[in-house]
């Protein structure tokens, strides 16, 4: 039975019917039953970056067993590649078992996480990365790093890989004192701290702290303008913003429309601090902090089949008249989808990428 409330995952005209994520890439299998050009099935690698996805090494065929065989081969190759990456010589001999609550100091709303070594909960990470070398991070900042903050974002750098990432405060299991770190992590922490100190002293050595803060706001504004340009994506319907509003007299629910239907217009706010991000369900959201509290916004777009009265009747019964903004097949996927060549060919088109602020 087809459940209309479940949105299909589409890549152009192909419905993704199987997908396996392992390591840095996802292997997908797609089907287009209406295709009459000998390319009914496709297999590709996928990398998703917030709002959009990049499909590469796409192969298409009318031979389903052939595509399934390729799908299996690519999963095996990606698993082998990930296994090698996670078991390099430098990691051999390291106790890489997941860190549990007993192995760290629990945190409360009173704790300031700036500059602390934080442990990410294993269940937050993908299965192949649920290990100590991927749990330990140095928290650099973010609203969620401050005690009693209304925000939740924590910006961290991985002690093992040196890569920066964003987590929610609720994703943090606890903290570890630097002296309690294993030797391999102490080396990583020292290298990161030296790099951070170098950035502060060499990039703008003559600026005072206030001037650095002013420059930070200026640069962040420039980045935001760049993202608005990147997200100049026109949809066929207005965008609906559903808000959980923190007002002086309590929390209230509300909504408004962005009549333009352009994704870039989501990145405007009249509050003090705003953080846009895509949650684990693929929905575009915003946490907007102001003097009375915090507003939480969820962005949706009307289906083409939605009735004209949808804005005034968008109750739980009519909620499925709206689509997740990030799942919009017409503009967010189809216009960017790879144009598949003949059987056995490849297409490595790039998509517009969006990085949550």
């Amino acid at each position: 039975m087809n459940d209309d409330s479940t949105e299909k995952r589409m890549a152009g005209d192909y419905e993704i019917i199987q997908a396996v994520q392992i390591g840095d890439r996802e292997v997908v299998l797609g089907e287009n039953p209406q295709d009459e050009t000998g390319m009914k099935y496709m297999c590709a690698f996928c990398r998703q970056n917030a709002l959009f996805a990049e499909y590469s090494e796409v192969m298409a065929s009318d031979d389903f067993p052939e595509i399934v065989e390729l799908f299996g081969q690519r999963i095996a190759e990606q698993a082998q590649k990930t296994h090698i990456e996670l078991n390099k010589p430098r990691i051999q001999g390291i106790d890489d078992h997941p860190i549990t609550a007993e192995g760290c100091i629990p945190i409360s709303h009173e704790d300031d996480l700036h500059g602390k070594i934080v442990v990410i909960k294993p269940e937050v990470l993908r299965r192949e990365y649920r290990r100590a070398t991927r749990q330990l991070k140095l928290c650099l900042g973010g609203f969620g790093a401050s005690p009693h903050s209304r925000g939740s974002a924590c910006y961290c750098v991985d002690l093992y890989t040196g890569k920066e990432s964003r987590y929610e405060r609720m994703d943090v299991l606890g903290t570890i004192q630097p002296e309690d770190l294993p030797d391999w992590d102490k080396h990583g922490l020292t290298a990161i701290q030296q790099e951070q100190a170098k950035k502060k002293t060499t990039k703008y050595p003559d600026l005072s702290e206030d001037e650095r803060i002013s420059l930070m706001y200026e640069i962040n504004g420039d980045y935001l303008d760049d993202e608005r340009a990147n997200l100049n994506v026109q949809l066929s319907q207005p965008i609906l913003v559903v808000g959980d509003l923190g007002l002086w007299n309590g929390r209230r629910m509300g909504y408004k429309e962005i009549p333009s239907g352009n994704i870039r217009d989501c990145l405007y706010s009249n509050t003090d601090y705003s953080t846009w991000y895509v949650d684990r369900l693929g929905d575009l959201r915003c946490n907007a902090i102001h003097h009375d509290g915090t507003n939480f916004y969820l962005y949706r777009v009307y289906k083409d089949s939605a009735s004209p009265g949808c804005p005034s009747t968008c109750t739980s019964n009519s909620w499925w008249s709206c689509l997740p903004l990030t799942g919009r097949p017409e503009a967010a996927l189809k216009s960017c989808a790879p144009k598949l060549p003949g059987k056995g060919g490849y297409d490595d088109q790039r998509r517009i990428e969006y990085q949550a602020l």
Side-chain angles (χ1 to χ4, degrees):
M1 179 177 178
N2 184 28
D3 185 356
D4 291 338
S5 65
T6 303
E7 297 299 332
K8 297 178 180 179
R9 178 181 173 184
M10 303 294 294
D13 294 325
Y14 288 87
E15 178 188 354
I16 302 302
I17 56 177
Q18 294 289 340
V20 176
Q21 172 80 49
I22 182 166
D24 60 351
R25 292 202 292 184
E26 182 183 31
V27 186
V28 299
L29 178 67
E31 179 184 21
N32 178 12
Q34 282 73 45
D35 180 81
E36 297 179 353
T37 63
M39 298 184 292
K40 185 175 293 185
Y41 308 105
M42 73 89 170
C43 178
F45 288 107
C46 177
R47 278 194 177 100
Q48 298 197 55
N49 184 359
L51 285 183
F52 294 99
E54 171 200 359
Y55 293 88
S56 62
E57 299 182 41
V58 179
M59 294 192 71
S61 172
D62 254 0
D63 189 332
F64 184 67
E66 178 186 43
I67 287 294
V68 172
E69 181 182 12
L70 177 63
F71 180 68
Q73 289 173 354
R74 288 182 167 182
I75 292 173
E77 292 168 0
Q78 188 66 14
Q80 179 67 14
K81 173 187 171 184
T82 304
H83 176 75
I84 294 173
E85 177 67 26
L86 294 176
N87 292 277
K88 288 182 175 179
R90 60 178 288 196
I91 205 173
Q92 293 176 6
I94 291 177
D95 183 5
D96 206 16
H97 290 90
I99 301 173
T100 62
E102 291 74 22
C104 59
I105 304 169
I107 64 170
S108 69
H109 294 297
E110 304 283 343
D111 293 303
D112 189 338
L113 300 183
H114 288 88
K116 297 287 185 66
I117 309 299
V118 298
V119 181
I120 303 301
K121 296 176 181 177
E123 60 269 22
V124 171
L125 305 172
R126 292 210 307 273
R127 289 176 176 83
E128 62 269 34
Y129 295 128
R130 293 175 184 175
R131 49 183 68 202
T133 47
R134 301 308 173 105
Q135 285 181 267
L136 292 167
K137 321 281 181 182
L138 174 64
C139 183
L140 301 178
F143 292 120
S146 300
H148 300 291
S149 174
R150 296 187 181 98
S152 61
C154 294
Y155 296 97
C156 306
V157 58
D158 191 288
L159 296 187
Y160 180 72
T161 65
K163 294 181 179 179
E164 296 186 2
S165 52
R166 176 192 188 276
Y167 291 92
E168 303 297 312
R169 189 180 177 101
M170 69 180 69
D171 296 335
V172 176
L173 181 65
T175 62
I176 288 183
Q177 295 296 333
E179 58 268 22
D180 295 328
L181 288 172
D183 290 339
W184 64 266
D185 249 359
K186 290 178 181 177
H187 174 75
L189 175 61
T190 300
I192 292 169
Q193 289 175 333
Q194 291 175 346
E195 181 65 23
Q196 293 296 319
K198 183 178 178 181
K199 287 181 179 179
K200 289 183 179 180
T201 57
T202 60
K203 196 167 185 179
Y204 304 106
D206 300 327
L207 296 184
S208 66
E209 189 65 21
D210 288 342
E211 289 172 331
R212 290 177 190 272
I213 292 174
S214 177
L215 179 61
M216 176 190 71
Y217 282 114
E218 180 181 343
I219 293 174
N220 198 46
D222 291 340
Y223 286 156
L224 184 56
D225 286 340
D226 289 343
E227 295 304 333
R228 289 176 182 139
N230 291 339
L231 292 177
N232 183 16
V233 178
Q234 184 62 51
L235 307 180
S236 60
Q237 294 278 6
I239 295 170
L240 176 68
V241 187
V242 181
D244 177 5
L245 310 177
L247 307 179
W248 66 271
N249 58 345
R251 302 207 67 83
R252 298 288 187 273
M253 293 297 294
Y255 72 87
K256 70 173 184 179
E257 279 190 345
I258 299 178
S260 68
N262 195 302
I263 295 178
R264 68 181 176 191
D265 292 334
C266 297
L267 302 187
Y268 287 93
S269 175
N270 58 1
T271 55
D272 297 328
Y273 301 100
S274 297
T275 302
W276 288 271
Y277 63 98
V278 175
D279 66 16
R280 296 190 184 104
L281 299 178
D283 286 321
L284 177 62
R285 294 180 178 271
C286 175
N287 296 348
I289 299 173
H290 54 93
H291 67 282
D292 285 328
T294 303
N295 298 342
F296 301 101
Y297 302 139
L298 169 64
Y299 299 87
R300 311 285 284 194
V301 63
Y302 299 117
K303 289 183 177 179
D304 289 331
S305 59
S307 64
C310 183
S312 60
T313 61
C314 203
T315 64
S316 58
N317 293 329
S318 63
W319 179 245
W320 294 108
S321 293
C322 303
L323 284 168
L325 186 58
T326 55
R328 188 66 175 171
E330 288 81 0
L333 279 176
K334 189 171 182 179
S335 65
C336 301
K339 296 177 176 62
L340 301 178
K343 180 176 178 179
Y346 290 89
D347 191 316
D348 195 7
Q349 290 190 353
R350 297 263 172 192
R351 311 294 183 87
I352 301 172
E353 293 186 347
Y354 165 76
Q355 183 172 348
L357 300 180

